[in-house]
Amino acid sequence: MGHNISAIILKGKYEKDKAERFDLIGIYLGFNLTMFHIDHYYSAYWQAKLETQGFLNTNNAEYMLYPSEFALSELMTNISSDKNPVFAIISTDYFGGNGIQSANVYLKDKIADFEIKTINQALKYLGVKRGKKTDEFDTVRLSNHRSTPEYLDKYYDLADELGV
């Protein structure tokens, strides 16, 4: 079975009504963390709509379609209760045990630690305490989220309409 997601994991509280205006549906993971599914088309669309320029620094995402538009930091700043939000952008592409993953942690719009490259490292930085028999990924049950939700499918066409 495959595992193919991109998501933002925000530390701390956020304003649900503001998040919903940006089509961000929060999934509470425990450890004061909320996950929002996104994809590259979603981030490209909001980059154009918000008229934002540039990209966030990344550690190791050159080999995948990794959402890193600066608009993602703006969205987190807009919805977070913290003026300087701490969040991770994660991405997986696995099938049958083979694949790749990427993770970067940000302090608002700056990369928090250039050594963080895996999802487990990012989750540990965000405060996840692994279980006795589970790693951080399984502790927050990310394996239950195997694919991008269908409600994001519309962003492929929306991004195309904007030419991004």
Side-chain angles (χ1 to χ4, degrees):
M1 180 171 245
H3 195 283
N4 187 306
I5 65 168
S6 291
I8 297 175
I9 300 176
L10 176 67
K11 184 168 186 69
K13 295 180 181 179
Y14 72 98
E15 295 183 46
K16 186 177 179 182
D17 60 323
K18 285 184 179 180
E20 288 173 351
R21 283 186 237 148
F22 296 109
D23 232 357
L24 291 168
I25 298 172
I27 300 167
Y28 188 67
L29 299 176
F31 299 93
N32 200 25
L33 300 176
T34 304
M35 180 174 71
F36 303 97
H37 284 281
I38 61 169
D39 64 16
H40 171 68
Y41 301 107
Y42 173 91
S43 59
Y45 171 82
W46 283 107
Q47 180 96 332
K49 286 300 278 187
L50 295 174
E51 299 180 352
T52 305
Q53 301 292 315
F55 294 87
L56 297 165
N57 285 330
T58 60
N59 287 331
N60 60 340
E62 303 86 29
Y63 51 82
M64 60 192 324
L65 197 54
Y66 185 82
S68 63
E69 285 80 359
F70 193 79
L72 297 174
S73 175
E74 286 193 20
L75 293 176
M76 291 301 101
T77 301
N78 189 294
I79 71 167
S80 176
S81 298
D82 188 343
K83 291 179 182 173
N84 295 303
V86 178
F87 64 95
I89 300 174
I90 65 167
S91 196
T92 66
D93 188 10
Y94 285 95
F95 187 79
N98 295 318
I100 54 176
Q101 67 169 265
S102 185
N104 292 275
V105 176
Y106 298 94
L107 306 173
K108 190 172 180 173
D109 59 357
K110 304 287 186 240
I111 204 155
D113 184 339
F114 281 98
E115 298 300 314
I116 295 173
K117 296 181 180 182
T118 69
I119 295 171
N120 280 337
Q121 290 171 327
L123 291 170
K124 185 175 181 179
Y125 184 94
L126 294 173
V128 174
K129 305 288 186 228
R130 64 184 288 163
K132 288 183 180 183
K133 296 183 179 182
T134 59
D135 62 8
E136 292 82 0
F137 189 97
D138 288 326
T139 298
V140 297
R141 297 175 302 283
L142 283 179
S143 56
N144 293 343
H145 306 277
R146 297 198 153 296
S147 60
T148 302
E150 288 182 8
Y151 71 86
L152 289 174
D153 289 350
K154 67 184 178 189
Y155 286 97
Y156 178 84
D157 291 331
L158 290 170
D160 189 49
E161 287 172 15
L162 294 175
V164 294

